[in-house]
Amino acid sequence: MILDKFKEQFAITVATAFQQCYPEIYRTVGDNGPFHSPDVLKGIERPKDPKMGSLAFPIFKFLPILKSKPNEVTASVAARANIILSASASPELAVTPASGYLNASIELTAVARETIGQAVTMQDKFGQSTVGNGKLNLVEYSSPNIAKPFGVGHLRTTIIGNSLRRIYKKLGYEVIGINYPGDWGTQFGKMIVAFRRWGSESTFQGEAVKNLLDLYVKFHAEAETDKSLDDEARVAFKKLEDGDPEATKLWERMKEVSFEEWSRVYGILGVEFDLVYGESFLNDKMEAVIERLQKDGLTSTSRGALVVDLNDPQLPPALLKKQDGATLYITRDLAGLIWRWEKYHFNESLYVVGVSQSDHFKQALKVIDMMEQAENLPAESRMTGRVKHVDFGWVKFGEKTMSTRQGNIIFLEDVINQAIDLAKQKIREKNPNLANFDDVAQMIGVGAVIFSQLSVRRQKDVNFDWDEVLSFEGETGPYLQYTHARLCSLERMYGKPITAQIDHSLLNHDEERLVIETIAEFEEAIQEAARLYDPNCISTYLLRLASAFNKFYQRKDDSGRIDKIISDDPDRSAARMALVQSVRIVMNEGLNLLGLRAPYEM
Ligand code: ARG
């Protein structure tokens, strides 16, 4: 990381300063004591308030052995540290005491040299790391349901998961992005019955998924009064489970039209997967799991159904098999958990699924934990602790709430197309002669939709509001894309090659400092996103970067005129353009990590 070099220097200095200030203590404990630079290094933090410098070291845990007041400790160690630093070859750090902390500020030219040097030479590799090397992570996302529309309800998992996959790759992990569509379950009994009663060949023509949805809705409306429908559906599903050819054929066709629709949507969104398998893939893997749980003594029967009692007042028992022998959603997930673990021995396996399924995942993971304990598995053979339900809040879409059964669902493809149309209108107003008009409009429309899903912390609800989402100002995808296009246009205007061999001392204004320091934080933002399983860390970071850049771009000189980035001072222009390119690289790469494309012009 950019700051690593300075962190090390700070740690060595602080450790030495402690040793010199408290020689009696150091003599008794030596390098096994706290004044040991690798330990100091581990304790170094980023100050909450950037005005406090770039690095901070909390001294609280030293107080018991030092037997002095915190202020005395920080004052004397800071003074000593600065003496040590001023005697070194390149004093790039200055240490200041603060309450309970030693803070260090780094000389701007040093940060600039490191940051711009790395960005300009590494280009799109800037910010990458090796923390994930040798580790395999699974990320499951999207997972829509067959014969139901791909609605905005599945948008958020698709967007968050796709971004997490990219983030892990950037950090050096091997990643397998999994799509696990719902292609099994009692709703297929309903679909089959509905098709037989009211469907025809034309159901599969035209907007097939919408037609199937109409059938599904009709089924539920009719079942309100006609109670026999539900029984008929149960029988139909049983037949499907038993491999009845006619039922299977119908099911296959429903799958086919759904997959066609999804591929189209994934194509427009630029979403990718490494592995796609539906719930039905686990059909022949459930029996073994049930037997295993039985053998572990974990199952019992409750009113004819096979269950695992979770011994938890908060969680209902996990239902493995109904009285009629039918398996359930959770039975398949248990089989899937075990299949994934045995196949991949992953470092982590994430399920990006809405918060409404929290209890489901708690139940499934509890069963796995109980199973691993019952079998006394050695730690390295246990997946418990490695599997996470990465939940997220609801998507609220104005007045409308969504329910597939009632049919008031908003189709994602319609949303995206509407966003692209709105983007076209906007571009026509602003830049009617734009080359690649259609491609840019798609980038922006899609970018707006994607960014809307990542604009708040993942556990918060998203309010999807058209005006906000497509605004070119404010905290939106188009605003970031516009900033990227502006950066590109500066490079075009400059027209000369940009190098890292610049005079860094020419970047000496507050606006430049803010941009430099923000670029230096890119890698941290990526790692935080991975740690919190939340691409929102990168969205908020990019908004900060854009705002820092725009302040720099609009900086006024002492006479109140805009301080143009490209001026008749060649050295200063070269230095500032290296900074511009660094921002452009980070903006482009950051947008890519979120799943947005970055236009050159708009
Ligand atoms: N198909 C499910 C739904 O739309 C989501 C699947 C989530 N993943 C899982 N392994 N259960 O609600």
Side-chain angles (χ1 to χ4, degrees), residues 140 142-145 154 180-182 279 329 333 340 351-353 357 360-361:
E140 188 211 284
S142 200
S143 308
N145 298 312
H154 284 100
Y180 174 68
E279 290 183 35
Y329 180 51
D333 258 323
R340 289 181 194 183
Y351 289 80
V352 184
V353 183
Q357 297 196 22
H360 165 77
F361 282 102

mmCIF file of all heavy atoms in Angstrom, residues 140 142-145 154 180-182 279 329 333 340 351-353 357 360-361, ligand 1:
data_model
loop_
_atom_site.group_PDB
_atom_site.id
_atom_site.type_symbol
_atom_site.label_atom_id
_atom_site.label_comp_id
_atom_site.label_asym_id
_atom_site.label_seq_id
_atom_site.Cartn_x
_atom_site.Cartn_y
_atom_site.Cartn_z
ATOM 1 N N GLU A 140 -22.123 -16.159 -4.324
ATOM 2 C CA GLU A 140 -23.376 -16.473 -5.016
ATOM 3 C C GLU A 140 -24.249 -15.228 -5.067
ATOM 4 O O GLU A 140 -24.419 -14.545 -4.056
ATOM 5 C CB GLU A 140 -24.126 -17.593 -4.281
ATOM 6 C CG GLU A 140 -25.327 -18.073 -5.077
ATOM 7 C CD GLU A 140 -26.459 -18.567 -4.207
ATOM 8 O OE1 GLU A 140 -26.367 -19.677 -3.674
ATOM 9 O OE2 GLU A 140 -27.455 -17.820 -4.089
ATOM 10 N N SER A 142 -27.548 -13.042 -7.562
ATOM 11 C CA SER A 142 -28.615 -13.004 -8.564
ATOM 12 C C SER A 142 -29.662 -14.080 -8.295
ATOM 13 O O SER A 142 -30.684 -13.808 -7.707
ATOM 14 C CB SER A 142 -28.065 -13.127 -9.991
ATOM 15 O OG SER A 142 -29.035 -12.626 -10.884
ATOM 16 N N SER A 143 -29.428 -15.313 -8.715
ATOM 17 C CA SER A 143 -30.317 -16.436 -8.385
ATOM 18 C C SER A 143 -31.808 -16.132 -8.517
ATOM 19 O O SER A 143 -32.563 -16.288 -7.553
ATOM 20 C CB SER A 143 -30.019 -16.935 -6.957
ATOM 21 O OG SER A 143 -28.652 -17.191 -6.804
ATOM 22 N N PRO A 144 -32.239 -15.711 -9.707
ATOM 23 C CA PRO A 144 -33.677 -15.455 -9.893
ATOM 24 C C PRO A 144 -34.452 -16.770 -10.000
ATOM 25 O O PRO A 144 -33.855 -17.845 -9.945
ATOM 26 C CB PRO A 144 -33.728 -14.693 -11.215
ATOM 27 C CG PRO A 144 -32.501 -15.118 -11.952
ATOM 28 C CD PRO A 144 -31.467 -15.459 -10.920
ATOM 29 N N ASN A 145 -35.751 -16.658 -10.140
ATOM 30 C CA ASN A 145 -36.575 -17.860 -10.178
ATOM 31 C C ASN A 145 -37.164 -18.087 -11.568
ATOM 32 O O ASN A 145 -37.615 -17.147 -12.220
ATOM 33 C CB ASN A 145 -37.694 -17.738 -9.154
ATOM 34 C CG ASN A 145 -37.131 -17.616 -7.750
ATOM 35 O OD1 ASN A 145 -36.253 -18.386 -7.354
ATOM 36 N ND2 ASN A 145 -37.588 -16.630 -7.011
ATOM 37 N N HIS A 154 -34.465 -8.709 -7.714
ATOM 38 C CA HIS A 154 -33.213 -9.442 -7.862
ATOM 39 C C HIS A 154 -32.069 -8.557 -8.349
ATOM 40 O O HIS A 154 -30.951 -9.021 -8.524
ATOM 41 C CB HIS A 154 -33.391 -10.625 -8.818
ATOM 42 C CG HIS A 154 -34.116 -11.765 -8.174
ATOM 43 N ND1 HIS A 154 -35.452 -12.016 -8.375
ATOM 44 C CD2 HIS A 154 -33.693 -12.689 -7.284
ATOM 45 C CE1 HIS A 154 -35.817 -13.059 -7.654
ATOM 46 N NE2 HIS A 154 -34.775 -13.489 -6.972
ATOM 47 N N TYR A 180 -27.480 -19.240 -8.871
ATOM 48 C CA TYR A 180 -28.201 -20.429 -8.392
ATOM 49 C C TYR A 180 -29.702 -20.201 -8.574
ATOM 50 O O TYR A 180 -30.409 -19.872 -7.616
ATOM 51 C CB TYR A 180 -27.832 -20.623 -6.919
ATOM 52 C CG TYR A 180 -28.550 -21.705 -6.150
ATOM 53 C CD1 TYR A 180 -28.344 -23.053 -6.431
ATOM 54 C CD2 TYR A 180 -29.403 -21.378 -5.091
ATOM 55 C CE1 TYR A 180 -28.982 -24.041 -5.675
ATOM 56 C CE2 TYR A 180 -30.038 -22.358 -4.332
ATOM 57 C CZ TYR A 180 -29.822 -23.691 -4.636
ATOM 58 O OH TYR A 180 -30.451 -24.656 -3.893
ATOM 59 N N PRO A 181 -30.183 -20.298 -9.792
ATOM 60 C CA PRO A 181 -31.591 -19.984 -10.026
ATOM 61 C C PRO A 181 -32.538 -20.965 -9.342
ATOM 62 O O PRO A 181 -32.227 -22.146 -9.174
ATOM 63 C CB PRO A 181 -31.738 -20.091 -11.544
ATOM 64 C CG PRO A 181 -30.358 -20.011 -12.082
ATOM 65 C CD PRO A 181 -29.474 -20.620 -11.042
ATOM 66 N N GLY A 182 -33.690 -20.440 -8.977
ATOM 67 C CA GLY A 182 -34.734 -21.271 -8.386
ATOM 68 C C GLY A 182 -35.484 -21.981 -9.503
ATOM 69 O O GLY A 182 -36.320 -21.394 -10.168
ATOM 70 N N GLU A 279 -31.489 -25.012 -8.530
ATOM 71 C CA GLU A 279 -31.790 -25.850 -7.368
ATOM 72 C C GLU A 279 -31.934 -27.316 -7.751
ATOM 73 O O GLU A 279 -31.563 -28.217 -6.994
ATOM 74 C CB GLU A 279 -33.085 -25.359 -6.690
ATOM 75 C CG GLU A 279 -32.919 -24.020 -5.987
ATOM 76 C CD GLU A 279 -34.191 -23.582 -5.249
ATOM 77 O OE1 GLU A 279 -34.907 -24.445 -4.714
ATOM 78 O OE2 GLU A 279 -34.460 -22.367 -5.212
ATOM 79 N N TYR A 329 -36.748 -26.010 0.063
ATOM 80 C CA TYR A 329 -35.698 -25.030 -0.285
ATOM 81 C C TYR A 329 -34.457 -25.235 0.588
ATOM 82 O O TYR A 329 -33.336 -25.288 0.112
ATOM 83 C CB TYR A 329 -36.325 -23.651 -0.077
ATOM 84 C CG TYR A 329 -35.478 -22.436 -0.352
ATOM 85 C CD1 TYR A 329 -34.791 -22.303 -1.553
ATOM 86 C CD2 TYR A 329 -35.406 -21.394 0.576
ATOM 87 C CE1 TYR A 329 -34.043 -21.151 -1.817
ATOM 88 C CE2 TYR A 329 -34.668 -20.244 0.320
ATOM 89 C CZ TYR A 329 -33.993 -20.127 -0.869
ATOM 90 O OH TYR A 329 -33.265 -18.993 -1.118
ATOM 91 N N ASP A 333 -30.497 -26.219 -0.064
ATOM 92 C CA ASP A 333 -29.372 -25.376 0.354
ATOM 93 C C ASP A 333 -28.364 -26.162 1.190
ATOM 94 O O ASP A 333 -27.150 -25.952 1.076
ATOM 95 C CB ASP A 333 -29.855 -24.134 1.111
ATOM 96 C CG ASP A 333 -29.837 -22.898 0.213
ATOM 97 O OD1 ASP A 333 -28.902 -22.790 -0.604
ATOM 98 O OD2 ASP A 333 -30.756 -22.065 0.305
ATOM 99 N N ARG A 340 -20.601 -27.565 -2.269
ATOM 100 C CA ARG A 340 -19.626 -26.496 -2.522
ATOM 101 C C ARG A 340 -18.382 -26.680 -1.663
ATOM 102 O O ARG A 340 -17.268 -26.474 -2.116
ATOM 103 C CB ARG A 340 -20.244 -25.114 -2.241
ATOM 104 C CG ARG A 340 -21.270 -24.719 -3.263
ATOM 105 C CD ARG A 340 -21.867 -23.345 -2.995
ATOM 106 N NE ARG A 340 -23.071 -23.154 -3.797
ATOM 107 C CZ ARG A 340 -23.790 -22.054 -3.833
ATOM 108 N NH1 ARG A 340 -23.430 -21.006 -3.123
ATOM 109 N NH2 ARG A 340 -24.872 -21.980 -4.586
ATOM 110 N N TYR A 351 -23.235 -15.741 0.351
ATOM 111 C CA TYR A 351 -24.565 -15.796 -0.255
ATOM 112 C C TYR A 351 -25.135 -14.382 -0.224
ATOM 113 O O TYR A 351 -25.489 -13.898 0.846
ATOM 114 C CB TYR A 351 -25.481 -16.735 0.537
ATOM 115 C CG TYR A 351 -25.137 -18.204 0.400
ATOM 116 C CD1 TYR A 351 -24.099 -18.773 1.139
ATOM 117 C CD2 TYR A 351 -25.856 -19.019 -0.465
ATOM 118 C CE1 TYR A 351 -23.788 -20.120 1.009
ATOM 119 C CE2 TYR A 351 -25.551 -20.378 -0.600
ATOM 120 C CZ TYR A 351 -24.516 -20.920 0.137
ATOM 121 O OH TYR A 351 -24.216 -22.251 0.009
ATOM 122 N N VAL A 352 -25.174 -13.743 -1.379
ATOM 123 C CA VAL A 352 -25.702 -12.385 -1.431
ATOM 124 C C VAL A 352 -27.208 -12.477 -1.663
ATOM 125 O O VAL A 352 -27.673 -12.664 -2.791
ATOM 126 C CB VAL A 352 -25.024 -11.558 -2.545
ATOM 127 C CG1 VAL A 352 -25.528 -10.120 -2.516
ATOM 128 C CG2 VAL A 352 -23.511 -11.603 -2.403
ATOM 129 N N VAL A 353 -27.944 -12.424 -0.578
ATOM 130 C CA VAL A 353 -29.397 -12.649 -0.624
ATOM 131 C C VAL A 353 -30.059 -11.660 0.348
ATOM 132 O O VAL A 353 -29.486 -11.348 1.392
ATOM 133 C CB VAL A 353 -29.743 -14.105 -0.198
ATOM 134 C CG1 VAL A 353 -31.243 -14.345 -0.325
ATOM 135 C CG2 VAL A 353 -28.971 -15.133 -1.015
ATOM 136 N N GLN A 357 -34.390 -13.301 3.951
ATOM 137 C CA GLN A 357 -34.057 -14.724 4.096
ATOM 138 C C GLN A 357 -33.060 -14.997 5.234
ATOM 139 O O GLN A 357 -32.431 -16.056 5.278
ATOM 140 C CB GLN A 357 -33.514 -15.282 2.770
ATOM 141 C CG GLN A 357 -34.569 -15.224 1.670
ATOM 142 C CD GLN A 357 -34.244 -16.088 0.459
ATOM 143 O OE1 GLN A 357 -33.474 -17.037 0.532
ATOM 144 N NE2 GLN A 357 -34.845 -15.747 -0.662
ATOM 145 N N HIS A 360 -33.708 -18.172 7.212
ATOM 146 C CA HIS A 360 -33.387 -19.346 6.396
ATOM 147 C C HIS A 360 -31.887 -19.662 6.478
ATOM 148 O O HIS A 360 -31.492 -20.808 6.709
ATOM 149 C CB HIS A 360 -33.800 -19.089 4.945
ATOM 150 C CG HIS A 360 -33.212 -20.061 3.966
ATOM 151 N ND1 HIS A 360 -33.697 -21.342 3.824
ATOM 152 C CD2 HIS A 360 -32.160 -19.961 3.115
ATOM 153 C CE1 HIS A 360 -32.978 -21.974 2.912
ATOM 154 N NE2 HIS A 360 -32.045 -21.157 2.467
ATOM 155 N N PHE A 361 -31.058 -18.626 6.313
ATOM 156 C CA PHE A 361 -29.611 -18.887 6.335
ATOM 157 C C PHE A 361 -29.125 -19.205 7.750
ATOM 158 O O PHE A 361 -28.226 -20.029 7.926
ATOM 159 C CB PHE A 361 -28.837 -17.729 5.702
ATOM 160 C CG PHE A 361 -28.912 -17.786 4.201
ATOM 161 C CD1 PHE A 361 -29.765 -16.962 3.492
ATOM 162 C CD2 PHE A 361 -28.171 -18.728 3.492
ATOM 163 C CE1 PHE A 361 -29.870 -17.047 2.108
ATOM 164 C CE2 PHE A 361 -28.262 -18.827 2.108
ATOM 165 C CZ PHE A 361 -29.119 -17.980 1.415
HETATM 166 N N1 ARG B 1 -34.039 -18.035 -5.737
HETATM 167 C C1 ARG B 1 -34.106 -17.462 -4.436
HETATM 168 C C2 ARG B 1 -35.079 -16.307 -4.437
HETATM 169 O O1 ARG B 1 -35.273 -15.685 -5.448
HETATM 170 C C3 ARG B 1 -32.784 -16.948 -3.961
HETATM 171 C C4 ARG B 1 -31.742 -17.996 -3.793
HETATM 172 C C5 ARG B 1 -30.737 -17.592 -2.774
HETATM 173 N N2 ARG B 1 -29.677 -18.531 -2.648
HETATM 174 C C6 ARG B 1 -29.707 -19.646 -1.935
HETATM 175 N N3 ARG B 1 -28.658 -20.430 -1.950
HETATM 176 N N4 ARG B 1 -30.751 -19.967 -1.211
HETATM 177 O O2 ARG B 1 -35.633 -15.978 -3.414
#
